[in-house]
Amino acid sequence: IVLVFAADFLSKQYLLNLLVNKYGDVILDPNAICAKCNINGVIASWSDIIGGDYGLSNLFNIHFIWNKGVSFSAFNFMMPIILSVLTGGIIVWLAYYLFKKSSVYERLPLAFIIGGAIGNLVDRIRFGAVADFIQWHIGGLWTFPAIFNVGDMFITFGVILYIINLFVQRRKCIRSFKD
């Protein structure tokens, strides 16, 4: 949980520091409008922000946005405090399940989900929105429709891993009854 949270928090902090140096403190205000940087959709290449390409530009762009909602900006009409309380409640419930009731195969996926969710909750408490900045694409051929962050990647990977583990465990259970 701590490593996932740290990866998410540090990646966002690094990018925010780079963007503040380039565009100023206005980038930290999700409600601000910045004529220089179009704060509702800063599109920049890795080389613009970091000063080098590092071979990533054919797969990822930095497309910085403040997401006031949840996945795919759903529920962006809700007040940040409501989303924070709901998110906090889900995190507490998942953590309780992880530490008190989970099976061995559930622990890593749940840790991924909880760590990513905590990272996004910290953003929502600090800024009233979540910093999303990764846009995945394949050259100029296809672009993933959502913009996400490291915490979102861990949440998604955790959910996929959890579902795979459930199917594997179910098959093992069915086989044990047949034998």
Side-chain angles (χ1 to χ4, degrees):
I1 294 172
V2 172
L3 293 176
V4 171
F5 169 73
D8 180 59
F9 182 81
L10 293 173
S11 65
K12 290 173 186 173
Q13 201 58 44
Y14 178 71
L15 182 67
L16 286 173
N17 287 339
L18 290 172
L19 291 171
V20 165
N21 288 337
K22 186 169 180 114
Y23 299 114
D25 285 342
V26 70
I27 202 81
L28 298 175
D29 182 0
N31 297 312
I33 304 250
C34 174
K36 284 197 261 180
C37 56
N38 183 9
I39 199 156
N40 291 319
V42 174
I43 301 173
S45 69
W46 287 101
S47 58
D48 290 343
I49 300 295
I50 300 173
D53 190 346
Y54 306 104
L56 298 172
S57 62
N58 287 328
L59 295 174
F60 296 98
N61 278 336
I62 295 174
H63 184 148
F64 181 82
I65 61 167
W66 285 111
N67 182 354
K68 294 183 179 184
V70 292
S71 301
F72 295 94
S73 294
F75 305 111
N76 63 356
F77 58 88
M78 293 180 80
M79 292 173 37
I81 188 72
I82 294 171
L83 286 176
S84 296
V85 169
L86 289 173
T87 302
I90 292 168
I91 291 169
V92 167
W93 181 80
L94 286 173
Y96 171 78
Y97 183 80
L98 171 66
F99 293 113
K100 296 291 185 183
K101 298 186 176 208
S102 66
S103 302
V104 171
Y105 69 89
E106 295 175 305
R107 292 186 184 140
L108 183 63
L110 287 172
F112 284 174
I113 294 166
I114 293 167
I118 290 171
N120 287 341
L121 179 61
V122 167
D123 271 9
R124 195 168 308 284
I125 291 169
R126 285 175 68 197
F127 304 110
V130 176
D132 286 340
F133 58 91
I134 301 170
Q135 181 184 39
W136 183 47
H137 65 95
I138 300 173
L141 302 175
W142 178 80
T143 301
F144 187 67
I147 299 164
F148 51 94
N149 59 50
V150 173
D152 296 337
M153 292 188 321
F154 275 105
I155 292 169
T156 302
F157 187 63
V159 168
I160 292 168
L161 190 58
Y162 193 89
I163 291 169
I164 290 170
N165 284 339
L166 285 177
F167 282 118
V168 168
Q169 292 305 315
R170 185 167 184 253
R171 284 186 72 133
K172 285 181 182 178
C173 183
I174 291 171
R175 282 188 196 150
S176 70
F177 282 122
K178 287 182 179 179
D179 294 338

